Amino acid sequence: MNPLRDQARLFCAALAFFTRIPCTRWAGDSAADLNRAARYFPLVGVVVGLIAAAVYWLTARVWPPELAVIAGMAAALLATGAFHEDGFTDAVDGLGGGWTKEQALTIMQDSRIGSFGAVAIVILLLVRFQALLHVATWLLPAVLVAGHAVSRFAAVLVIHTQRYVRGEGKAKPLATRMSRGELAVAGVFGLAPLALLPAGLLWALLPVVLVWLWFSRLLRRRLGGYTGDCLGAMQQLTELAFYLGIVAWSFT
């Protein structure tokens, strides 16, 4: 098999799994393909970030900054079908409402949103909106691309460092441990967009690292590993942490 075609198929598998972008015709659909496609999770983030950045850049020409930021956020939500936001709300409901591991996992499986998740997602989206609003207009497109890529690499690191704790689930195809080579590929795609930013902004990674360490420890202590919802929560939390780091740097 052509190696480039094989890698393109894996990327399409990741794109089809994590977004609403129509590419199933070229995507692999076996569990093995989806597991190998995890290396392209951050590259999917680059694509989603480019969509959000393009919509923001275009709408900022005719709308005030507030509406342009909302348009960029909405574009990312539409591109992913709010896939990660859904995981975030389920994870918050489970970790917030369950006293034991079994209770937390059972709550996460419930398709209904609970009070913890509802409050958390509203706060997260409001803080994200305010953070992006405080980023300079010329810088925001690059920040969006980098934020979506870095946060998805943070989720990949969870796959690499912890075990999947369900027998089945939406992250099951991505549940096996990644090799160092696959992690390196994910790292390249996850960190390369940082080159679009001024060097001083790399300090924005500090909140990302701190949030990753905290939430990873929480997952290990409460669940003994991760679920698909936890990956979505990690992506959402570290994306927001990155934006807040950018804003903190801007105000120093």
Side-chain angles (χ1 to χ4, degrees), residues 55-57 59-73 129-130 132-137 140:
V55 170
Y56 167 78
W57 186 84
T59 55
R61 266 91 191 122
V62 294
W63 289 347
E66 295 84 355
L67 290 179
V69 167
I70 291 174
M73 290 174 57
F129 167 71
Q130 285 293 329
L132 293 176
L133 198 57
H134 284 85
V135 178
T137 302
L140 187 52

Side-chain angles (χ1 to χ4, degrees), residues 123-249:
I123 293 175
L124 182 137
L125 291 174
L126 284 174
V127 176
R128 184 190 300 173
F129 167 71
Q130 285 293 329
L132 293 176
L133 198 57
H134 284 85
V135 178
T137 302
W138 64 270
L139 184 62
L140 187 52
V143 167
L144 286 169
V145 176
H148 280 279
V150 166
S151 59
R152 284 161 174 81
F153 180 54
V156 167
L157 283 173
V158 176
I159 298 174
H160 183 70
T161 57
Q162 299 200 42
R163 67 183 185 89
Y164 189 70
V165 294
R166 287 195 191 279
E168 296 295 335
K170 60 187 176 184
K172 182 63 175 178
L174 305 173
T176 60
R177 293 288 182 95
M178 300 176 66
S179 69
R180 291 183 179 179
E182 291 171 328
L183 184 65
V185 172
V188 169
F189 290 124
L191 300 178
L194 294 172
L196 300 172
L197 305 176
L201 284 178
L202 293 180
W203 282 106
L205 289 176
L206 179 59
V208 175
V209 172
L210 293 176
V211 168
W212 189 90
L213 291 172
W214 163 73
F215 195 60
S216 293
R217 183 175 181 275
L218 178 65
L219 295 179
R220 189 173 283 109
R221 178 171 58 86
R222 290 292 310 278
L223 304 177
Y226 72 93
T227 69
D229 293 325
C230 297
L231 295 180
M234 180 64 86
Q235 187 277 320
Q236 290 288 291
L237 290 169
T238 52
E239 181 187 354
L240 181 60
F242 180 74
Y243 298 150
L244 291 175
I246 295 290
V247 173
W249 176 88

Side-chain angles (χ1 to χ4, degrees), residues 13-24:
L15 203 62
F17 188 79
F18 291 115
T19 75
R20 296 291 182 87
I21 298 174
C23 60
T24 53

Side-chain angles (χ1 to χ4, degrees), residues 50-117:
L50 286 171
I51 292 172
V55 170
Y56 167 78
W57 186 84
L58 290 171
T59 55
R61 266 91 191 122
V62 294
W63 289 347
E66 295 84 355
L67 290 179
V69 167
I70 291 174
M73 290 174 57
L77 287 168
L78 288 172
T80 62
F83 187 73
H84 307 302
E85 286 78 6
D86 177 67
F88 171 76
T89 57
D90 287 342
V92 171
D93 276 333
L95 295 171
W99 290 98
T100 66
K101 171 184 174 179
E102 291 71 24
Q103 288 176 335
L105 292 176
T106 299
I107 292 171
M108 287 184 200
Q109 283 186 307
D110 193 333
S111 60
R112 296 169 296 181
I113 185 171
S115 56
F116 283 106

